[in-house]
Amino acid sequence: MAHAVISCLHANLAAVEAVLDDIDQQGIETITCLGDLVGYGPQPNEVVELVRQRNIPTCQGCWDEDIIDGLNACECSYPSQLAERRGHRAHHWAAERITKDNKDFLAGLPMTLRRGPFLFVHGSPNSQHEYLLPGMSAFAALERVESAKADTLFCGHTHQPYVRELRDGSIRMKLEKPGTDQSVEQEITLPIRRIVNAGSVGEPRHGNTHATYVIHDEINEKVIIREVQYDVAKTCQAIIEQGLPEVFAWRLSHGFEYAERADDADHVCERS
């Protein structure tokens, strides 16, 4: 059975419609969304309402949380004061326009969804704001999946799609005995686990402007990262017309992150 996973829609209606059309053309009926329905883009209500109309099971993303709980919901840092001002501006713009019904819908979204051995989250099982970057240590990556009691962990938040297989193996750890100066070595066997990042429908940052999502074949465990073209210029124009930061349109039209970066990407606020 084929199953589509979408993430980070970010109020980009043209991209969402194009991806849902592509999923329909594939004959796929089961869709899971990993959150961030709002933020950056110019059509927050339209995107939320489309997800609601399609009855797509959805996790709560960090932007969705922030619209409900306010800016203090995110304790991560910005790479610059300019980026912080842009983030606050975009947050207030979306918060002022989201309808009560749509806000209530976002407030009711769960942190995680589970289907058998598959767990679906926005950032990580620990937080909507944690980045599971493709280069994080294998041990830390495995810990995230194992602690969630999942075989495959589906996530988003990074806007960069990837499939990472954490293969069988073993590691030796030296454990200190409490209350003594002695230590013992212990061998731990690592099972096969996977992290699948769905990328972003509405704010791609993987090097081109195509919206991304993943198709998961649950029978043979095959994962396909799919890219979909849409009318990027239309969304960029709407961003500018709505008075949102013009860098959002620039970033969308180039398909990668703006040049400002913090030293530690694990703590960069995604609203930047």
Side-chain angles (χ1 to χ4, degrees):
M1 180 177 67
H3 168 225
V5 183
I6 61 178
S7 185
C8 304
L9 281 56
H10 286 301
N12 185 341
L13 184 62
V16 176
E17 290 177 335
V19 164
L20 292 179
D21 285 346
D22 190 74
I23 292 171
D24 291 342
Q25 291 170 20
Q26 305 294 317
I28 299 172
E29 297 181 357
T30 305
I31 306 172
T32 301
C33 178
L34 307 182
D36 269 7
L37 307 187
V38 300
Y40 298 131
Q43 295 110 359
N45 285 307
E46 292 87 339
V47 167
V48 174
E49 287 159 10
L50 182 54
V51 170
R52 293 175 64 187
Q53 291 166 9
R54 294 283 298 247
N55 293 315
I56 299 173
T58 302
C59 302
Q60 188 183 79
C62 59
W63 268 90
D64 308 323
E65 178 193 26
D66 293 344
I67 289 297
I68 303 307
D69 295 336
L71 287 169
N72 290 335
C74 179
E75 298 178 355
C76 47
S77 62
Y78 287 89
S80 71
Q81 291 183 340
L82 177 60
E84 183 175 14
R85 288 195 296 271
R86 287 199 304 264
H88 288 185
R89 178 178 162 191
H91 169 87
H92 292 307
W93 183 94
E96 289 172 357
R97 286 160 178 78
I98 198 80
T99 66
K100 183 181 184 304
D101 283 348
N102 288 335
K103 188 174 183 180
D104 290 343
F105 173 78
L106 296 178
L109 294 177
M111 300 299 104
T112 66
L113 292 168
R114 187 181 295 273
R115 292 182 57 207
F118 312 121
L119 186 71
F120 304 87
V121 302
H122 177 70
S124 84
N126 298 334
S127 168
Q128 299 107 309
H129 298 276
E130 182 181 20
Y131 288 87
L132 297 186
L133 299 169
M136 74 185 303
S137 75
F139 186 79
L142 183 66
E143 185 277 331
R144 298 300 189 275
V145 186
E146 279 292 293
S147 65
K149 296 180 171 58
D151 290 346
T152 301
L153 177 66
F154 291 89
C155 62
H157 192 41
T158 70
H159 294 211
Q160 298 178 8
Y162 66 86
V163 179
R164 184 175 184 186
E165 189 170 90
L166 304 164
R167 294 184 175 275
D168 269 333
S170 63
I171 59 173
R172 298 191 66 83
M173 298 181 64
K174 183 175 288 187
L175 304 176
E176 301 292 333
K177 287 186 176 181
T180 72
D181 294 331
Q182 299 178 337
S183 63
V184 295
E185 287 194 350
Q186 180 176 338
E187 186 170 349
I188 300 176
T189 300
L190 306 177
I192 296 177
R193 296 291 184 260
R194 283 193 304 179
I195 296 178
V196 177
N197 193 299
S200 175
V201 171
E203 182 73 20
R205 297 181 190 169
H206 63 294
N208 69 49
T209 61
H210 296 172
T212 68
Y213 73 98
V214 298
I215 298 175
H216 177 219
D217 188 323
E218 296 183 7
I219 296 177
N220 61 24
E221 285 299 305
K222 183 178 181 181
V223 176
I224 298 172
I225 297 174
R226 191 160 176 84
E227 298 191 5
V228 180
Q229 291 184 338
Y230 73 97
D231 192 343
V232 179
K234 181 178 180 180
T235 300
C236 290
Q237 184 62 35
I239 288 172
I240 294 170
E241 289 175 351
Q242 290 293 333
L244 287 161
E246 292 187 8
V247 70
F248 292 173
W250 181 94
R251 189 162 58 189
L252 200 62
S253 67
H254 287 76
F256 53 82
E257 180 66 270
Y258 191 56
E260 294 173 330
R261 292 189 179 278
D263 293 334
D264 183 357
D266 288 333
H267 301 287
V268 176
C269 182
E270 198 203 313
R271 290 195 305 268
S272 65

